[in-house]
Amino acid sequence: MKKVKRMAAVLLYLLLAALLLGLRPKELFDLRQLLLVLAGGMILYLPSMGKEDFRQWKKPDYGLLARDTIYASYIETFVLVFLLLYQGPETDRMKMLAEMHGEGQAIRLISGTLMREIAMGFRPLLYGICIWIAFGKEDEKPAEKAEAAGGEVRVLTAQESYQHFLEMGLTRREAEVAVQVCRGVSNKEIAMELSISEATVKKHMSNIFEKLGVKKREEIWKYHHFSE
């Protein structure tokens, strides 16, 4: 529900900005470009999914999906602008306009049209940014999370936190996973960061819970928040 409200707020602000800046809202919307951005986000998101996710089709990590969507918007925007600049104005069209309005006026008309098309080529980037704002992860620091949970925060460096976890009986890999948890990273992101499968991350998490005597991941970083 919160994400829906954020998306509504983004669309409302986009509409307001377009009206106040003298743009027609429909000029900012292109269904084909939007669908291509969404499809690109899903394609880029697929490698982060584990086998269990494919089999059971679990609820996606919207934070990662939003991140991959904005990456797709960068790619699409680059391709569109590159094609416009590479192809340039049509020669036949230039000749026709030159005959009708003169060479100088033809160049101005073509330049204006090209600039407008380039501007429209940036729409996918706008879509990606809007999706990221609505569905991306909130910038909430681990320290703030711990304080909200009612715990005392010990500010450690990443290395100090890693050594502390080793002293508490974790293996080196489990300590690495625990440090990532202290950063507020999801299982999918930990898997990508450490180049292991998400299933392996979940197995490490189970071992960490057992060894530290905790039941929630929030309890892992409750007293082990570290400064970057």
Side-chain angles (χ1 to χ4, degrees):
M1 188 64 180
K2 186 175 181 179
K3 296 183 184 299
V4 175
K5 291 181 179 179
R6 286 170 63 90
M7 191 65 201
V10 170
L11 294 176
L12 178 61
Y13 176 70
L14 183 61
L15 177 62
L16 179 63
L19 292 174
L20 292 180
L21 295 175
L23 286 173
R24 288 181 296 179
K26 66 178 182 180
E27 291 182 334
L28 297 177
F29 183 76
D30 183 284
L31 181 60
R32 184 176 62 176
Q33 291 181 2
L34 175 59
L35 292 177
L36 189 57
V37 167
L38 295 175
M42 286 298 301
I43 292 172
L44 295 179
Y45 177 74
L46 290 177
S48 65
M49 296 177 65
K51 293 182 179 179
E52 295 182 1
D53 295 324
F54 280 110
R55 292 171 183 172
Q56 302 177 15
W57 191 247
K58 296 181 179 179
K59 184 179 179 180
D61 185 325
Y62 291 111
L64 283 179
L65 185 57
R67 182 203 65 183
D68 291 334
T69 299
I70 199 170
Y71 288 162
S73 71
Y74 289 148
I75 295 172
E76 184 179 341
T77 298
F78 172 81
V79 172
L80 287 172
V81 174
F82 176 80
L83 285 175
L84 288 171
L85 295 176
Y86 178 77
Q87 293 174 351
E90 300 175 8
T91 304
D92 293 340
R93 190 179 179 187
M94 280 287 294
K95 290 181 178 179
M96 181 183 68
L97 290 174
E99 293 175 356
M100 294 176 59
H101 305 285
E103 186 174 345
Q105 181 66 12
I107 293 176
R108 285 192 291 273
L109 290 172
I110 289 294
S111 298
T113 302
L114 183 60
M115 290 301 294
R116 183 180 183 280
E117 291 177 350
I118 291 175
M120 294 297 100
F122 278 93
R123 287 181 296 190
L125 185 56
L126 174 64
Y127 304 150
I129 293 173
C130 291
I131 292 171
W132 170 255
I133 294 173
F135 297 99
K137 293 187 176 179
E138 296 182 7
D139 187 17
E140 185 178 4
K141 298 180 180 179
E144 295 172 349
K145 294 179 181 177
E147 290 174 355
E152 179 184 354
V153 180
R154 292 182 58 194
V155 180
L156 307 174
T157 65
Q159 184 61 32
E160 288 173 338
S161 185
Y162 174 77
Q163 290 297 329
H164 195 180
F165 284 126
L166 290 179
E167 294 170 2
M168 296 179 70
L170 302 189
T171 65
R172 292 182 180 276
R173 180 59 85 180
E174 290 168 354
E176 290 177 351
V177 172
V179 168
Q180 295 299 319
V181 172
C182 291
R183 297 177 57 212
V185 179
S186 68
N187 286 350
K188 282 187 174 67
E189 291 173 311
I190 293 174
M192 295 174 65
E193 181 73 21
L194 301 181
S195 299
I196 56 179
S197 68
E198 188 179 355
T200 301
V201 173
K202 292 178 180 178
K203 183 178 180 180
H204 287 316
M205 289 295 297
S206 178
N207 294 336
I208 292 170
F209 285 166
E210 183 178 353
K211 291 181 179 181
L212 298 184
V214 299
K215 297 181 179 180
K216 299 180 180 179
R217 64 192 299 123
E218 288 82 1
E219 297 180 58
I220 297 175
W221 45 252
K222 188 174 181 180
Y223 296 101
H224 300 85
H225 169 62
F226 59 87
S227 59
E228 296 291 348

